[in-house]
Amino acid sequence: MSLSTARRAGFGARVTRSAAAVQGGALATFAVVCVLSSAQMTLAQRRSEPRPVIVVGSKNFTENRLLGEIMAQLIEARTRLRAQRRVNLGGTTVVFAALQGGEIDLYPEYTGTGWSIHLGRTERVSDSLQAFLHVAEAFERRYQSTWLHPFGFSNSYALAMHEGLAEELEVKRISDLKRHQDRLRAGFSHEFLKREDGYPGLASAYDLKLGDLRGLEHGLAYQALQTNKTDLIDTWTTDGKLLRYPIRVLEDDRHFFPPYDCAPLIRNTTLERHPELRSLLNELGFLIDDDTMRELNFRVEEGGGSFSGVARDFLSAHGLLAVDRAQGPRAVASSGLLPFLWSRRDVTLRLALQHLGLTVLAVALAVIVAVPLGIVLTRKTRLVPVVMGGAGVLQTIPSLALLAFMIPVPGLGLGARSAVAALCLYALLPIIRNTYSGIRDVDPDLLEAARGMGLRDRELLAKVELPLATRAIMAGIRTSTVISIGVATLAAFIGAGGLGDPIVTGLQLNDSYLILSGALPAAMLALCADFVLGYVERALIPRGVRT
């Protein structure tokens, strides 16, 4: 082989090796690019996937809502779950029905409530561990729900008086009330008046027969006590307002009230889907004693802190949540009502639109049902007592009770659908009654003349009876609309939103400006709706009968 041939062969070998190296490098680069692209696509896909939702509920008082917020923030910070908050869900019956129906996944509950209300136990129990173990075992078996580790405090019911009056009457224990039961004015929360572990059982255990007893919204109880409108109230041992007012909590010397240790109550199906929640929420176990809970409640109710801000501070202080962003206290209306309302204008507008949507849909459905039904009654008068009586009975059911009745109905549950259904039922009676009365009041001679002109029944209804009854029918619709706007404020208790939200929260926090931020727009909404419907009425009434 010549030198030139050898050189060409060597060069060719080098070229071949270089080509192979280049080819290999290209393949390796291509592989890396494919892997990175795949990883990026997977990451992007994961980011675009909707986060699973956990619905955290709460009852309608400060402590329960605050504990719900603590659990929601912990879940969002430490898992891929998104916590949807459904707070202020009325009393125990409403929130527990929501848990049983799958409308919420968990909420904070109390062993005393589980013992007395959900399980119906009437015997007394004083041992906290015994109560917790029994309640946990019974709920697992009967309700397929799990009690996780207790938070560490017991929020028992208690009776309280103004310190000055208690000192004057020498009342230190509940049994001391018997000497003064004829003269004391008692203002108890509505739930306390009805619960067996509330006043009925307490009165039996202490042989109490208070002479002046009335129901009172708990958010107003302390104010009533301070202004001498009542002498005795029910409270909770961890209530934050106890740190503000000169209140004497009376000793339960006969140990009537059971232990009320608070813990997360969660559906078993939720734990099966997300088993990580058990260990995560158990990290909250025994972190909150009575004094801490009272202080947290005080910070929300009296210290200007927001629910989310106080919850975040607590979790951060215990190393359970990284401090990611600061949140100041809730807006305090120190500069007056009008500036406060103006600062909330965006929130108020959003809530007002929700409120209006609930009302319009409910009244529209009521019109679709009630007007034809009122027409039918004018033809089949034997049905009048049955239909009018049934619609009247619906009006006698308390608004909140009717809203609660809607929750277990299939297809309704918590939220707007139940609210619309309840509002629709409330709106029926005025429209049915006015439709029936308006048509029945049409002059019989006029109807006879129309029949003499050859008008058949359908033509008589469309051309004579309905036009002449329009004013009466619209009066019923206007009445139903105004009533519905007022009742819709209670829809906040079942998670339907609307202008009831700031009213309920304001009652919890004893914040009159917050209450007015919901009440004033609701009143204006009612006036505006009646004004608009007045124009609709004038437009619908035939020109010849407008006078």
Side-chain angles (χ1 to χ4, degrees):
M1 178 183 299
S2 64
L3 181 59
S4 59
T5 303
R7 286 179 176 174
R8 283 198 299 270
F11 179 77
R14 287 197 300 270
V15 170
T16 302
R17 288 196 299 269
S18 299
V22 171
Q23 185 179 12
L27 289 173
T29 302
F30 179 74
V32 171
V33 170
C34 288
V35 170
L36 291 176
S37 299
S38 176
Q40 186 175 8
M41 290 176 62
T42 302
L43 183 59
Q45 183 178 7
R46 287 181 179 177
R47 287 177 177 172
S48 65
E49 289 176 355
R51 297 169 65 188
V53 175
I54 286 291
V55 184
V56 181
S58 84
K59 302 182 188 183
N60 59 330
F61 58 94
T62 301
E63 178 176 288
N64 212 255
R65 180 173 174 180
L66 180 56
L67 292 170
E69 180 65 26
I70 288 173
M71 294 191 296
Q73 288 194 22
L74 183 63
I75 290 170
E76 288 184 325
R78 301 275 295 278
T79 71
R80 289 193 64 253
L81 303 173
R82 179 172 64 86
Q84 179 182 347
R85 292 139 173 94
R86 290 211 167 168
V87 297
N88 290 330
L89 296 180
T92 296
T93 303
V94 173
V95 71
F96 187 68
L99 185 79
Q100 289 296 102
E103 297 290 334
I104 62 175
D105 293 295
L106 73 156
Y107 76 99
E109 186 55 285
Y110 302 85
T111 54
T113 302
W115 178 279
S116 303
I117 304 302
H118 302 311
L119 301 181
R121 301 292 296 267
T122 57
E123 63 272 31
R124 297 184 192 177
V125 57
S126 57
D127 185 85
S128 297
L129 181 59
Q130 177 189 350
F132 180 82
L133 293 177
H134 177 83
V135 168
E137 187 276 330
F139 269 64
E140 180 78 29
R141 183 183 66 256
R142 186 183 302 185
Y143 300 120
Q144 293 75 53
S145 301
T146 297
W147 289 74
L148 300 177
H149 289 177
F151 293 109
F153 69 92
S154 178
N155 185 8
S156 175
Y157 270 124
L159 297 187
M161 300 177 66
H162 191 281
E163 181 65 39
L165 180 61
E167 186 68 25
E168 176 187 339
L169 300 179
E170 298 181 350
V171 174
K172 296 181 179 180
R173 305 171 300 174
I174 295 179
S175 57
D176 294 336
L177 295 173
K178 190 171 176 61
R179 301 195 306 267
H180 312 283
Q181 60 183 358
D182 293 334
R183 59 166 288 191
L184 289 175
R185 300 165 299 166
F188 293 154
S189 63
H190 298 285
E191 187 172 6
F192 184 78
L193 283 172
K194 298 174 184 177
R195 291 172 54 136
E196 190 55 37
D197 61 338
Y199 180 70
L202 181 76
S204 176
Y206 282 90
D207 192 26
L208 278 177
K209 295 180 181 178
L210 296 171
D212 188 348
L213 179 64
R214 66 191 68 183
L216 183 67
E217 168 60 41
H218 183 71
L220 304 175
Y222 290 95
Q223 184 178 354
L225 209 60
Q226 292 301 109
T227 55
N228 198 31
K229 294 295 190 296
T230 190
D231 303 317
L232 182 68
I233 64 171
D234 65 295
T235 187
W236 299 293
T237 54
T238 58
D239 198 328
K241 293 184 178 67
L242 294 176
L243 298 178
R244 173 182 177 183
Y245 296 101
I247 301 295
R248 177 178 293 185
V249 177
L250 306 184
E251 178 190 347
D252 180 16
D253 51 306
R254 296 186 183 177
H255 305 288
F256 165 74
F257 294 116
Y260 285 86
D261 294 283
C262 188
L265 179 61
I266 187 169
R267 290 166 52 85
N268 286 352
T269 52
T270 302
L271 280 180
E272 291 169 3
R273 292 197 312 270
H274 308 289
E276 70 275 14
L277 290 178
R278 181 188 296 272
S279 59
L280 178 64
L281 293 174
N282 279 342
E283 293 185 32
L284 295 172
F286 306 101
L287 282 184
I288 310 175
D289 58 19
D290 290 10
D291 291 338
T292 301
M293 192 69 251
R294 196 178 298 117
E295 177 65 27
L296 292 174
N297 289 332
F298 179 82
R299 288 180 56 192
V300 173
E301 294 176 341
E302 308 295 337
S306 65
F307 286 99
S308 59
V310 172
R312 184 178 298 108
D313 290 344
F314 169 79
L315 291 170
S316 300
H318 288 83
L320 299 175
L321 182 69
V323 181
D324 53 355
R325 60 186 183 277
Q327 177 164 329
R330 68 174 185 267
V332 179
S334 57
S335 57
L337 176 60
L338 291 180
F340 177 74
L341 295 178
W342 179 254
S343 69
R344 286 179 52 86
R345 60 190 182 278
D346 293 337
V347 175
T348 301
L349 178 60
R350 175 176 57 82
L351 295 177
L353 291 175
Q354 288 180 357
H355 204 93
L356 185 61
L358 293 174
T359 303
V360 169
L361 183 55
V363 173
L365 291 174
V367 169
I368 292 172
V369 174
V371 171
L373 193 54
I375 295 172
V376 169
L377 293 181
T378 62
R379 271 59 177 171
K380 300 183 182 297
T381 55
R382 65 180 183 275
L383 296 177
V384 171
V386 177
V387 175
M388 292 292 189
V393 168
L394 289 174
Q395 288 283 331
T396 65
I397 301 175
S399 311
L400 188 56
L402 188 60
L403 287 165
F405 291 156
M406 296 295 107
I407 295 175
V409 176
L412 296 182
L414 283 177
R417 286 175 293 181
S418 287
V420 168
L423 293 174
C424 177
L425 293 177
Y426 263 117
L428 290 176
L429 181 60
I431 303 175
I432 294 174
R433 178 183 291 161
N434 281 39
T435 301
Y436 172 77
S437 300
I439 294 177
R440 294 283 291 181
D441 288 344
V442 174
D443 190 345
D445 293 336
L446 183 61
L447 297 177
E448 189 64 29
R451 288 191 182 95
M453 296 172 60
L455 293 182
R456 292 173 294 184
D457 285 344
R458 289 188 178 181
E459 295 172 323
L460 192 68
L461 176 66
K463 297 183 178 181
V464 179
E465 291 177 303
L466 283 179
L468 293 177
T470 298
R471 191 184 301 276
I473 295 172
M474 285 302 301
I477 294 174
R478 291 170 70 175
T479 301
S480 293
T481 302
V482 172
I483 292 174
S484 296
I485 289 174
V487 175
T489 57
L490 297 177
F493 285 112
I494 61 170
L499 292 168
D501 272 350
I503 296 176
V504 174
T505 303
L507 287 173
Q508 293 173 356
L509 304 178
N510 195 26
D511 188 334
S512 58
Y513 282 5
L514 198 55
I515 295 171
L516 290 174
S517 73
L520 291 179
M524 292 178 60
L525 198 61
L527 292 174
C528 291
D530 188 62
F531 183 77
V532 170
L533 288 174
Y535 270 100
V536 173
E537 177 183 328
R538 285 190 286 274
L540 291 177
I541 295 175
R543 186 183 302 274
V545 295
R546 288 183 184 178
T547 57

